[in-house]
Amino acid sequence: MTPSWRLLFAWAWALPATVTGDHDSSRVCRALAETLPGFVAFPDTPAYEAHNAYWSARQSELRPACFVAPTSAQDVARAVRVLTKRGARFTVKGGGHTAFDGGSNMDAPGVTLDLAGLDSISVSADRRTVSVGAGNRWINVSEVLDPLGLAVVGGRVSTVGVSGLTLGGGISYFSGMWGWACDNVRNYEVVLASGELVNASPTVNADLFWALRGGGGSNFGIVTRFDLVSFEQGELWASTLVYPGTVTETLIPLVHDLLVRELPAAPAAHTFFVMAYVAALGGYLTLSDQFHARYSDILCPPAVFAPFHNATLPKLFVYTRLSTVSRLSLDIEQPRGMRQAWWETTVAATATPDLLLDIFSMWQDFVERLLATAAADDPTVTPFLIFHPIPLNVLGAMQVNGGNALGLEPEDGPIMIVQMNVLWTSAVLDDAIQDGLRDLVARVETLAASRGARQKNGYIYMNYAEKSQDVYAGYGEENLARLRSVARRYDPEGQLRRLWRGYFKL
Ligand SMILES: Cc1cc2nc3c(=O)[nH]c(=O)nc-3n(C[C@H](O)[C@H](O)[C@H](O)COP(=O)(O)OP(=O)(O)OC[C@H]3O[C@@H](n4cnc5c(N)ncnc54)[C@H](O)[C@@H]3O)c2cc1C
Ligand SMILES: *[C@@H]1O[C@H](CO)[C@@H](O)[C@H](O)[C@H]1NC(C)=O
Ligand SMILES: *[C@@H]1O[C@H](CO)[C@@H](O)[C@H](O)[C@H]1NC(C)=O
């Protein structure tokens, strides 16, 4: 490229995100149907309704002009060429698990590409790589791998998509040993904005490989296949404990201790900690879900989790078992078809558990206000506060192959991912719930800052973020600049930036 062309493209990149292309949605869909006969679903057909099934009701309410459901990477490329040539807006559905509306669906005149037809899964002869089509969900992968005694660093819940989870990061049962899902991709096959099909690995298009490791998909291209690292794995030890809300303040110091002390010494262990208000179960409850990939005694918990099993702690429910990844991923399935809001912030570990205890108390104030107002008329309103410990061993494992795009480094760790979710039914409550969550997140961030415990860059985990959160700012200035330059290199005319709206944009 000559310098003047580069300048022109840089200018195109800086244009405001207005679309001047073909707004006649039926024409775009007809053109797609001509190029990909049989793969386009129009409104008011059973095929369209099947594609329009999403985990969160906020997403399935949207009605695209049509769904395009290619079954090969070449067909994805053909669809992209039709869309970009006509300047037509589009989005892409992997497993469709984004909580917010517009994350992977859109209203007409937009078009949604559903990747579900890219459903191949193949294990290499040496058993070290599993090639997974981008439309698979984690259950499809584990149902192939479990019988072979293999596993990948993948999602924990069965119906979640391989694509979105891996592109945004990917917290797994196995993260203590190998990092996040994005750290265990050998190669991505990607359709670029131009319609060109390329690979991205440590040796081919290495800058794109880096960007796709946590940088999300919608700024770079449509991934059609992930080649994932696989490893030998039998059943895992797992324990689910549910406690009455009254012991949460006893448990939080144990969770803090796991983050800073216990988990780095037990890399095969993995856990998360959920506080919830569930009206149907009588109020506040706390759940500890524990996993160990190298332990098999169900009568005696591994030392790392022993304090949670202490007989002096009141428990409502204990379920300890050895289990395959598939069965575990079905156990922690979340209900479909509800309205969902997920917000996230990340705090650095402090010397004492006080910060976590104070976050819990702030969340309880939020819940009390919610119960007195919005939730009064909708008994399904269920608020959650979830702590995901990210100990030093996980941050260390992220540094392989030149590191990922997230900007998380062991020097700034350990960190706690703090997830604040609400599920509900009535759309009338949308604004009140979102305003309450926005305010809660702001308070938690201010509190953490006042204790010197904001994550250095203000990291927000993309896969748990609400659409108004500034996810990319939290990757740090240097990574953000690098991500922008990779996007410019692989999409010089800014087509994806203009046409693929609704998710986080650089
Ligand atoms: C019940 C539940 C359990 C979860 N469990 C975990 C967990 O254990 N660990 C964890 O880390 N996260 C977890 N998550 C969060 C999850 O990682 C995100 O919701 C993720 O975006 C889901 O991926 P998806 O493909 O299903 O989503 P989608 O909504 O389909 O996609 C997410 C984004 O990626 C884009 N995209 C999809 N496919 C492609 C592609 N092939 N190429 C380029 N861009 C693409 C979409 O356009 C969208 O912008 C969970 C979420 C839910 C709802
Ligand atoms: C993926 O798994 C689900 C649940 O077992 C199943 O219904 C679906 O058909 C599977 N998809 C493919 C392509 O095998
Ligand atoms: C169990 O809890 C009691 C009371 O807090 C404590 O004294 C004891 O050390 C605990 N035991 C274990 C194994 O953590």
Side-chain angles (χ1 to χ4, degrees):
M1 235 195 279
T2 66
S4 57
W5 276 107
R6 225 180 263 143
L7 265 179
L8 181 63
F9 287 138
W11 172 79
W13 176 258
L15 276 178
T18 49
V19 179
T20 48
D22 191 342
H23 270 223
D24 183 341
S25 53
S26 54
R27 264 175 37 207
V28 172
C29 290
R30 279 204 304 275
L32 285 162
E34 257 167 50
T35 307
L36 298 167
F39 295 136
V40 179
F42 289 89
D44 304 319
T45 61
Y48 181 99
E49 298 309 329
H51 292 300
N52 212 28
Y54 285 78
W55 177 71
S56 166
R58 291 168 68 196
Q59 286 241 74
S60 45
E61 275 169 11
L62 304 182
R63 311 287 297 170
C66 57
F67 281 94
V68 194
T71 55
S72 70
Q74 288 70 26
D75 285 349
V76 173
R78 284 188 195 103
V80 166
R81 287 207 184 90
V82 172
L83 292 163
T84 53
K85 187 173 150 221
R86 292 176 175 258
R89 284 204 177 191
F90 68 95
T91 188
V92 175
K93 179 188 185 193
H97 271 59
T98 302
F100 58 79
D101 48 306
S104 49
N105 199 12
M106 72 197 312
D107 270 327
V111 169
T112 302
L113 257 81
D114 186 344
L115 301 180
L118 300 177
D119 59 1
S120 67
I121 299 176
S122 70
V123 180
S124 68
D126 67 4
R127 294 165 58 90
R128 295 181 58 241
T129 307
V130 185
S131 295
V132 178
N136 282 291
R137 293 156 190 268
W138 290 108
I139 187 70
N140 301 112
V141 178
S142 60
E143 280 183 344
V144 170
L145 298 186
D146 286 339
L148 297 174
L150 292 174
V152 291
V153 180
R156 295 170 294 190
V157 178
S158 63
T159 52
V160 174
V162 169
S163 281
L165 182 134
T166 307
L167 287 164
I171 306 175
S172 163
Y173 303 119
F174 306 109
S175 289
M177 295 184 286
W178 317 112
W180 284 6
C182 66
D183 303 310
N184 294 276
V185 181
R186 293 191 197 278
N187 178 67
Y188 301 84
E189 182 191 73
V190 193
V191 171
L192 302 178
S194 61
E196 193 188 346
L197 186 63
V198 302
N199 284 290
S201 74
T203 51
V204 180
N205 296 317
D207 51 353
L208 180 60
F209 175 75
W210 173 83
L212 291 171
R213 285 180 60 197
S218 74
N219 294 286
F220 305 104
I222 301 178
V223 175
T224 48
R225 197 190 73 229
F226 298 82
D227 297 333
L228 305 176
V229 174
S230 51
F231 51 89
E232 306 293 321
Q233 177 66 48
E235 289 186 321
L236 288 81
W237 179 93
S239 190
T240 303
L241 300 100
V242 181
Y243 309 86
T246 47
V247 283
T248 312
E249 281 158 345
T250 310
L251 295 168
I252 286 175
L254 303 180
V255 178
H256 177 262
D257 208 44
L258 280 175
L259 171 64
V260 299
R261 269 216 340 238
E262 299 296 334
L263 287 170
H270 174 75
T271 189
F272 56 90
F273 186 75
V274 184
M275 293 141 278
Y277 184 94
V278 190
L281 295 174
Y284 288 102
L285 295 173
T286 292
L287 176 146
S288 171
D289 240 331
Q290 306 165 356
F291 310 91
H292 201 299
R294 301 282 182 269
Y295 190 82
S296 59
D297 184 352
I298 57 167
L299 299 178
C300 175
V304 56
F305 297 128
F308 292 84
H309 293 254
N310 195 321
T312 64
L313 291 168
K315 301 174 199 78
L316 302 173
F317 177 81
V318 181
Y319 176 34
T320 303
R321 69 277 193 199
L322 295 180
S323 182
T324 61
V325 170
S326 297
R327 271 185 279 126
L328 288 175
S329 77
L330 290 163
D331 287 347
I332 49 178
E333 193 54 78
Q334 301 291 304
R336 297 179 76 79
M338 305 293 292
R339 307 185 82 72
Q340 300 275 356
W342 284 25
W343 292 70
E344 197 277 329
T345 195
T346 307
V347 302
T350 44
T352 67
D354 294 5
L355 176 64
L356 299 179
L357 286 163
D358 292 343
I359 291 173
F360 171 60
S361 138
M362 266 182 180
W363 173 77
Q364 279 192 305
D365 291 344
F366 155 80
V367 173
E368 294 304 323
R369 277 196 301 275
L370 194 66
L371 295 176
T373 54
D377 301 321
D378 180 346
T380 65
V381 172
T382 311
F384 297 91
L385 171 67
I386 310 175
F387 290 154
H388 300 267
I390 312 296
L392 288 182
N393 48 308
V394 175
L395 298 173
M398 286 183 179
Q399 312 310 315
V400 297
N401 288 326
N404 60 34
L406 303 175
L408 299 176
E409 273 151 17
E411 301 84 278
D412 315 314
I415 54 175
M416 187 72 90
I417 285 190
V418 179
Q419 202 184 352
M420 290 151 278
N421 303 351
V422 176
L423 68 81
W424 71 103
T425 306
S426 165
V428 175
L429 301 181
D430 288 10
D431 290 346
I433 289 172
Q434 292 285 43
D435 290 347
L437 282 165
R438 185 178 302 106
D439 178 63
L440 172 64
V441 171
R443 282 165 189 260
V444 169
E445 290 180 344
T446 304
L447 175 73
S450 75
R451 307 275 173 87
R454 283 281 327 256
Q455 194 277 335
K456 184 182 69 181
N457 302 318
Y459 176 73
I460 296 168
Y461 181 29
M462 178 185 282
N463 287 353
Y464 293 167
E466 174 62 33
K467 62 180 159 187
S468 58
Q469 295 195 272
D470 195 354
V471 164
Y472 283 119
Y475 286 35
E477 271 173 40
E478 199 184 312
N479 284 6
L480 182 53
R482 205 169 150 196
L483 286 167
R484 287 198 169 121
S485 90
V486 175
R488 271 198 296 273
R489 173 148 186 239
Y490 290 90
D491 178 18
E493 294 171 61
Q495 306 249 42
L496 302 182
R497 181 167 173 274
R498 282 199 308 282
L499 302 177
W500 183 352
R501 308 295 299 176
Y503 208 62
F504 306 100
K505 300 311 276 188
L506 283 166

